[in-house]
């Protein structure tokens, strides 16, 4: 465990160094520009939406999974997790579809002062980043599942590889493709993480996708009821709780 912690710390230090390099080259190619503002607005909107909707569930998943595993066995814990994964994916897919169909509503909320041309650019970028909502949430749940089996290294390694790839993409594609190069590197990072997580699940023989025909949404309820106090804390302003 100590060696694993030391390895993770080392990887994070290296990731930080590459993140600084990425920021430096991003500033060189994009600087303070309208395109960069639109990219940051759209991406942060999706990230904040993800946090607002699913963060409490992600934060409490590990504790609830281990409780169910200890009480009812590993198979039952995995079966309920399958149902949870289906429910999360269904809700997230519907949200992504709504965002793709009505990006203008989000655009006006994010930047009400933008004119028609600026709003058109923002709508385009919102549509570009919207599918990342689904990919990002799937990787978070799979990461949480692996964490329950004391597997913490894969996301760190993937994060390091993504930082390196992002640097390469910025250096090679930014001059010709502009801000879209950041979207390409972002999606490749998410897809790479998803593939490596699935490979790790298979390697550890965690049969998450076995028995999908037995899935019922009722099986996902224990995870939601356990996280309800955290949802309340997220949605209710802190001042109203004082």
């Amino acid at each position: 465990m100590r060696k694993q912690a030391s390895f993770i710390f080392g990887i994070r230090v290296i990731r930080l160094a590459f993140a600084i390099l990425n920021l430096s080259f991003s500033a060189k190619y994009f600087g303070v520009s309208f395109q960069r503002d639109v990219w940051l607005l759209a991406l942060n909107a999706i990230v904040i939406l993800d946090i607002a909707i699913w963060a409490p569930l992600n934060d409490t998943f590990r504790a609830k999974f281990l409780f169910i595993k200890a009480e009812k066995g590993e198979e039952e814990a995995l079966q309920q997790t399958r149902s949870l994964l289906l429910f999360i994916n269904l809700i997230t897919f519907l949200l992504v579809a709504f965002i793709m169909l009505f990006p203008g509503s989000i655009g006006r909320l994010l930047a009400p002062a933008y004119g028609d041309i600026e709003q058109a650019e923002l709508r385009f970028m919102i549509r570009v980043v919207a599918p990342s909502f689904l990919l990002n949430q799937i990787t978070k749940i799979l990461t949480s599942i692996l964490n329950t089996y004391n597997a913490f290294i894969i996301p760190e390694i993937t994060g390091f590889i993504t930082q390196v790839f992002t640097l390469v993409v910025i250096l090679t594609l930014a001059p010709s493709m502009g801000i879209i190069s950041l979207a390409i590197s972002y999606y490749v990072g998410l897809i790479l993480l998803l593939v490596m997580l699935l490979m790790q699940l298979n390697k550890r023989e965690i049969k998450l996708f076995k028995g999908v025909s037995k899935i019922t949404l009722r099986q996902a309820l224990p995870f939601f009821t356990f996280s309800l106090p955290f949802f309340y804390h997220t949605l209710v302003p802190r001042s109203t709780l004082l």
Side-chain angles (χ1 to χ4, degrees):
M1 192 68 180
R2 185 176 298 177
K3 289 182 178 179
Q4 188 179 66
S6 299
F7 179 79
I8 291 174
F9 175 77
I11 287 290
R12 286 181 177 177
V13 170
I14 299 172
R15 280 179 62 185
L16 178 60
F18 274 95
I20 293 172
L21 281 174
N22 287 336
L23 285 173
S24 176
F25 281 103
S26 294
K28 175 183 176 181
Y29 286 107
F30 308 116
V32 180
S33 64
F34 171 70
Q35 276 195 331
R36 184 172 175 81
D37 288 345
V38 167
W39 162 255
L40 291 175
L41 275 174
L43 181 61
N44 286 330
I46 298 300
V47 170
I48 291 171
L49 182 63
D50 188 5
I51 293 172
I53 295 176
W54 298 125
L57 192 62
N58 292 331
D59 292 342
T60 58
F61 171 82
R62 187 172 188 268
K64 188 60 179 178
F65 180 89
L66 291 174
F67 177 81
I68 297 172
K69 183 180 177 182
E71 187 180 56
K72 299 181 180 180
E74 181 181 19
E75 179 52 39
E76 180 62 24
L78 287 173
Q79 183 60 36
Q80 293 191 25
T81 301
R82 293 180 195 112
S83 300
L84 176 68
L85 193 59
L86 174 63
F87 185 81
I88 288 175
N89 288 344
L90 178 61
I91 296 298
T92 307
F93 177 80
L94 292 175
L95 287 171
V96 170
F98 178 84
I99 293 169
M100 296 286 285
L101 289 172
F102 306 103
S105 301
I106 299 175
R108 287 188 293 272
L109 181 65
L110 292 174
Y114 276 8
D116 292 341
I117 296 176
E118 290 85 357
Q119 282 291 340
E121 290 285 339
L122 183 55
R123 288 195 299 270
F124 169 75
M125 191 58 70
I126 289 172
R127 285 194 173 108
V128 168
V129 300
S132 68
F133 186 10
L134 181 59
L135 284 173
N136 196 39
Q137 186 53 36
I138 293 173
T139 59
K140 284 182 179 178
I141 288 295
L142 295 183
T143 298
S144 296
I145 293 169
L146 285 171
N147 287 348
T148 63
Y149 289 86
N150 296 319
F152 303 96
I153 294 178
I154 291 299
E156 300 298 333
I157 294 176
T158 309
F160 164 68
I161 295 173
T162 302
Q163 290 288 355
V164 175
F165 183 80
T166 300
L167 181 61
V168 173
V169 168
I170 291 174
L171 291 174
T172 57
L173 298 183
S176 59
M177 300 189 66
I179 205 72
I180 294 298
S181 61
L182 294 182
I184 292 172
S185 65
Y186 183 61
Y187 274 105
V188 170
L190 286 175
I191 294 170
L192 178 62
L193 176 58
L194 178 60
V195 171
M196 293 187 72
L197 290 172
L198 291 173
M199 290 174 61
Q200 192 68 10
L201 285 170
N202 183 62
K203 180 180 179 181
R204 290 176 173 265
E205 298 183 349
I206 303 172
K207 297 178 175 61
L208 179 62
F209 302 104
K210 179 183 177 182
V212 292
S213 60
K214 301 177 183 178
I215 284 176
T216 62
L217 293 182
R218 179 185 294 181
Q219 294 173 333
L221 288 179
F223 291 101
F224 284 97
T225 54
F226 186 71
S227 64
L228 274 179
F230 298 89
F231 274 106
Y232 181 78
H233 181 73
T234 300
L235 295 174
V236 177
R238 188 179 296 270
S239 59
T240 65
L241 301 176
L242 298 178

